[in-house]
Amino acid sequence: MKRNNSNSTKNIKRARITILVIAVALLVIIGSIVAAQKFSAGSKTVQAASSTGESSNDDKENSDSVNKESNGSVEDVAYLEKYIEQQEKNQKPDGADGKKVAYLTFDDGPSTTVTPQILDILKSEDVHATFFLIGKYVDKDDASKNLVKREVAEGNAIGIHSYSHDYGYLFPKGKINLENCMSDFDKTDKALKNVLGEDFSTRSIRFPGGQETWSKKDPQGAEKVDKALHEKDWHQIDWNALSGDAEGTHKKNADELIQEAIKSIGNREKALILMHDTYGKEETAKALPRIIEYLKQQGYEFKIIE
């Protein structure tokens, strides 16, 4: 009887040991499977991260290429300032390279009547322009502010053309008042920042009446204002072609504006064309599509000024 009990006890111990071994083996197997799954998931995560990183780099490269492409349609204002000055002195401009470039420029805006038409045409023709704005018109109302935002949003450039455009204030007794001119430019710059944000900046200034005009009328005053502008990295931009939409007492119709523009553009390599988008310049809007068409036919590239 004791022998049977002893055998039974041994069998129970063996069974327990066997169960324990099997349990340990199962735990080892399960642990191996879990570890393998984690490793596989980790590998996929690394691959995905690597793929995402490559994609991000590709996106960045694509973004950079877009920026470079758009920058190709921008001309440096300091270069053009010097170009025009040399041309006005009958000197061969530095950087003359034989490439035909047209710079469409519009003064005295924004206006709620003409500026929208100009912007619609530019967008339709897939070209851009530089708008030299008057600060008091920027501040006029929300519609005017929205036009300034649209000008920038659609890829055009903004320059300053004074705040008041008041010759009596800017040029009392036919002489440049440096303090008044700089105050007017600063006030317009502030008006533009209020609309476009503090990060907005422009280096382009178009003097009311033109730099060349005042260099002849008041050489000393012109020299002083030029120095003051350069200290702020502001540069004056005149023109060497125009449609004549602000010339003389006779108001030209669209056909006359087109002919005047073609005549003044002539065979210029770099054509800085003066037009206006202020109130009452509806004929300019009518003429613009055919002026652009002519420039394209003559092989001109279009650039903005910044």
Side-chain angles (χ1 to χ4, degrees):
M1 189 70 178
K2 287 182 179 179
R3 184 179 179 85
N4 289 337
N5 289 339
S6 176
N7 289 336
S8 176
T9 301
K10 289 180 180 179
N11 289 336
I12 291 171
K13 287 181 179 179
R14 288 194 190 100
R16 287 176 177 173
I17 292 170
T18 301
I19 292 170
L20 181 61
V21 170
I22 292 171
V24 170
L26 287 173
L27 288 173
V28 170
I29 293 170
I30 292 170
S32 298
I33 293 171
V34 171
Q37 288 177 338
K38 287 183 177 179
F39 177 79
S40 176
S43 298
K44 290 179 180 178
T45 301
V46 170
Q47 290 174 353
S50 175
S51 175
T52 302
E54 291 172 1
S55 177
S56 297
N57 289 336
D58 289 343
D59 290 343
K60 185 177 186 300
E61 289 174 3
N62 290 337
S63 176
D64 287 345
S65 66
V66 169
N67 289 336
K68 289 175 183 176
E69 184 177 345
S70 64
N71 286 342
S73 63
V74 177
E75 197 73 85
D76 179 65
V77 62
Y79 159 73
L80 280 181
E81 179 184 43
K82 186 175 181 181
Y83 185 99
I84 291 295
E85 287 177 358
Q86 291 175 321
Q87 194 173 67
E88 288 170 348
K89 295 175 182 177
N90 295 318
Q91 300 172 354
K92 183 178 180 180
D94 295 341
D97 53 12
K99 295 180 180 178
K100 301 175 77 171
V101 183
Y103 310 88
L104 302 176
T105 70
F106 295 90
D107 285 10
D108 296 354
S111 72
T112 54
T113 53
V114 179
T115 304
Q117 297 180 56
I118 299 295
L119 289 171
D120 288 345
I121 293 165
L122 293 173
K123 190 172 184 178
S124 174
E125 296 288 345
D126 193 26
V127 299
H128 300 96
T130 303
F131 291 85
F132 290 93
L133 305 183
I134 294 177
K136 67 179 181 181
Y137 291 150
V138 173
D139 283 340
K140 184 179 180 182
D141 51 33
D142 287 341
S144 299
K145 292 180 174 67
N146 288 334
L147 283 170
V148 176
K149 292 177 182 178
R150 181 184 168 189
E151 287 172 351
V152 174
E154 294 182 359
N156 302 292
I158 300 294
I160 293 172
H161 192 43
S162 81
Y163 189 89
S164 64
H165 208 276
D166 182 346
Y167 276 50
Y169 173 72
L170 300 172
F171 316 115
K173 298 180 180 179
K175 297 291 184 180
I176 296 172
N177 185 302
L178 177 61
E179 183 178 348
N180 291 354
C181 286
M182 295 305 295
S183 174
D184 240 38
F185 295 145
D186 283 330
K187 192 173 181 180
T188 304
D189 185 52
K190 184 177 180 181
L192 290 170
K193 288 182 186 301
N194 287 339
V195 174
L196 300 171
E198 287 298 319
D199 290 339
F200 170 80
S201 65
T202 180
R203 300 166 62 222
S204 303
I205 302 288
R206 177 162 282 167
F207 218 56
Q211 180 187 30
E212 182 184 15
T213 299
W214 289 103
S215 294
K216 293 176 180 177
K217 287 185 176 182
D218 183 9
Q220 291 183 337
E223 186 176 345
K224 289 179 181 178
V225 78
D226 204 42
K227 181 180 178 181
L229 290 171
H230 285 171
E231 287 175 354
K232 297 172 72 72
D233 194 24
W234 282 348
H235 302 268
Q236 297 192 63
I237 289 295
D238 268 3
W239 56 91
N240 58 13
L242 74 171
S243 67
D245 60 357
E247 303 296 313
T249 56
H250 167 66
K251 185 176 180 179
K252 297 180 178 67
N253 61 35
D255 289 334
E256 291 172 316
L257 296 177
I258 294 164
Q259 292 306 312
E260 182 66 28
I262 291 173
K263 179 182 176 181
S264 65
I265 291 166
N267 60 354
R268 295 187 185 280
E269 179 182 298
K270 307 285 188 278
L272 285 92
I273 306 164
L274 169 65
M275 293 174 280
H276 296 78
D277 64 320
T278 192
Y279 297 94
K281 301 299 180 183
E282 285 78 8
E283 291 300 309
T284 298
K286 292 178 184 178
L288 182 58
R290 282 183 282 170
I291 292 173
I292 292 173
E293 180 184 10
Y294 171 79
L295 290 166
K296 287 181 176 180
Q297 289 173 348
Q298 298 303 308
Y300 280 91
E301 175 188 359
F302 294 85
K303 289 190 176 185
I304 59 175
I305 306 167
E306 289 187 345

